[in-house]
Amino acid sequence: MFSSYSRLATEVYDIDKPVGHSFGDIDYYRERLKEVKGRILEPGTGSGRIYIPLLQDGLNIEGIDQSPEMLDSCKMRCEERGLSPVLHEMDMSEMKLQRTYEAIIIPAGTFLLIEDRKKSILALKNFYDHLAAGGRLILDLYLQPEAALNEVKTKTWVTPEQNVITMESKRVEVNFLEQYSVSYLKYEKWQDGKLIDTELQRFAMRWYGVREFKLVLERLGFTDIVISADYTYGKAPVHADQTITFEARKPESTYS
């Protein structure tokens, strides 16, 4: 019934959030990664909005995503730029790679797309296991935005071929006990006034409290946790509308 980042969603993403489009996150992650000489992993690479600029910078970065359409888009855009990406199709909560990384990054709240809490904790454990000793996890979180249930919002894009894509979004559920919300996104593609394609996406987002997430990271073994707001390193968040970035380190060594 529902699609998940399929053909139309990927087409919209490429138009609305093209390679290099930044919310302030690209420069921030560049700065935080500038001393990294080894491998970097970006789970939730998508169509390469951040992945490709970092690859162009010469960073040794790999990506994973569970959407084959998004990965195909990323590969195509890399080919256009003469880049050779290393990309894997897999889920964050099930990822198994035969190497470790000096840094794992998840910008723009992508981690919150894991609706199930147990799977999101498992994903964090996977990140920890895939980090080299002393490696860092850097990821962005958002808190739950205010929005009315069943209120329909519409956005429109024009494709390079002059077709029109519309998206209607409607939040249908907010579960404060389990800390997630669900919206329905309906994509429609029109050519000369005729509907030629449509998709319906169930878009779920989890949220964590700031202190809650810090405790989760500590329980998994992360140390040296720094919480930053609006891409200013070390600036403490003061209100719920800010982008909140966590940076945490896997210890150099562990003792039983």
Side-chain angles (χ1 to χ4, degrees):
M1 177 180 177
F2 294 103
S3 65
S4 180
Y5 288 101
S6 296
R7 185 173 57 254
L8 283 185
T10 299
E11 191 171 354
V12 164
Y13 201 93
D14 287 340
I15 297 170
D16 194 52
K17 299 178 180 67
V19 171
H21 179 82
S22 181
F23 305 102
D25 48 3
I26 293 180
D27 286 341
Y28 180 84
Y29 278 84
R30 275 182 173 138
E31 175 65 23
R32 299 308 305 156
L33 297 171
K34 67 181 182 181
E35 303 300 330
V36 176
K37 304 301 181 185
R39 286 187 294 262
I40 300 165
L41 180 67
E42 184 194 5
T45 298
S47 58
R49 179 183 70 88
I50 287 184
Y51 175 84
I52 291 175
L54 295 182
L55 190 61
Q56 288 176 312
D57 288 346
L59 295 177
N60 184 6
I61 186 167
E62 301 177 16
I64 69 169
D65 204 287
Q66 62 179 350
S67 166
E69 290 85 1
M70 282 286 194
L71 289 176
D72 286 344
S73 175
C74 187
K75 290 173 185 176
M76 180 186 69
R77 293 172 185 279
C78 285
E79 289 174 3
E80 292 171 350
R81 293 162 173 80
L83 301 171
S84 300
V86 179
L87 301 170
H88 312 272
E89 183 182 335
M90 61 181 65
D91 186 286
M92 296 185 210
S93 63
E94 299 174 354
M95 58 181 262
K96 291 183 180 179
L97 298 166
Q98 302 303 311
R99 58 187 64 183
T100 58
Y101 300 85
E102 282 193 33
I104 296 177
I105 64 168
I106 316 176
T110 302
F111 175 72
L112 299 176
L113 296 176
I114 306 175
E115 177 184 356
D116 182 81
R117 180 182 173 88
K118 290 182 179 179
K119 287 187 176 181
S120 69
I121 300 298
L122 183 57
L124 289 173
K125 185 179 184 303
N126 282 338
F127 302 154
Y128 185 91
D129 292 341
H130 282 80
L131 280 171
R136 288 177 293 152
L137 171 67
I138 312 173
L139 59 78
D140 298 339
L141 298 185
Y142 305 125
L143 299 180
Q144 178 65 23
E146 294 183 8
L149 285 176
N150 298 312
E151 177 183 345
V152 177
K153 298 181 180 180
T154 304
K155 296 184 71 174
T156 302
W157 298 268
V158 178
T159 73
E161 299 77 26
Q162 299 304 301
N163 297 322
V164 174
I165 300 177
T166 62
M167 182 193 75
E168 290 185 357
S169 62
K170 179 172 66 174
R171 181 170 294 182
V172 297
E173 180 184 359
V174 178
N175 190 320
F176 288 98
L177 183 62
E178 298 295 334
Q179 295 179 207
Y180 69 86
S181 65
V182 177
S183 299
Y184 289 165
L185 309 182
K186 182 173 71 173
Y187 296 90
E188 294 182 335
K189 188 173 185 179
W190 300 83
Q191 183 181 70
D192 299 326
K194 296 181 179 179
L195 182 64
I196 60 173
D197 201 359
T198 185
E199 287 177 5
L200 182 63
Q201 180 180 356
R202 182 181 183 276
F203 183 80
M205 288 200 76
R206 167 160 295 282
W207 74 87
Y208 284 90
V210 176
R211 293 180 182 177
E212 174 194 13
F213 196 72
K214 183 174 186 288
L215 289 171
V216 169
L217 292 177
E218 289 174 338
R219 178 166 294 183
L220 289 171
F222 286 100
T223 60
D224 302 326
I225 299 170
V226 177
I227 304 170
S228 306
D230 292 337
Y231 301 120
T232 302
Y233 182 74
K235 175 185 176 182
V238 294
H239 60 79
D241 295 331
Q242 293 177 294
T243 300
I244 301 170
T245 304
F246 283 77
E247 184 167 324
R249 189 176 298 273
K250 183 175 182 176
E252 292 284 354
S253 60
T254 57
Y255 300 92
S256 58

